[in-house]
Amino acid sequence: DKGFFLFSSIIFFAFFYLIAVENIIKLFHCKKCILTIFVVSGYIGIYLFNVFLSIIFETELPQFGIEYLIYMIIDSLIAFMVF
């Protein structure tokens, strides 16, 4: 649990796809850079969206631990190297 809401990632990605994806693609022309930006903005966006939901529902704020940062870095490196 650690403060993250059920299905919050699906809701965030729906909003992210509708709002930010086209703008990021237009702004950057490097495919590997775009994928890395998608990964990092996904992790940070999901965290901030859960903070927003925690404030609304007056629950404990989600923890941004070192593990979360390590997963973000590893996923970014995989996206940069593989694709």
Side-chain angles (χ1 to χ4, degrees):
D1 178 14
K2 297 191 179 190
F4 290 92
F5 289 89
L6 185 64
F7 302 119
S8 63
S9 59
I10 295 171
I11 296 168
F12 170 75
F13 278 120
F15 286 122
F16 181 74
Y17 181 78
L18 292 173
I19 296 170
V21 169
E22 291 297 323
N23 294 329
I24 291 173
I25 291 173
K26 288 178 187 175
L27 220 81
F28 298 95
H29 301 287
C30 170
K31 182 181 177 183
K32 291 186 179 215
C33 299
I34 291 171
L35 291 173
T36 305
I37 291 168
F38 283 161
V39 170
V40 171
S41 60
Y43 273 96
I44 293 172
I46 289 171
Y47 175 76
L48 293 176
F49 186 66
N50 278 288
V51 167
F52 174 71
L53 292 176
S54 294
I55 292 170
I56 288 176
F57 295 119
E58 298 178 353
T59 61
E60 180 183 346
L61 292 175
Q63 301 172 2
F64 191 88
I66 190 72
E67 298 92 6
Y68 200 73
L69 184 63
I70 291 171
Y71 292 147
M72 183 171 49
I73 292 169
I74 290 172
D75 281 351
S76 297
L77 289 174
I78 290 172
F80 189 79
M81 292 186 318
V82 173
F83 300 105

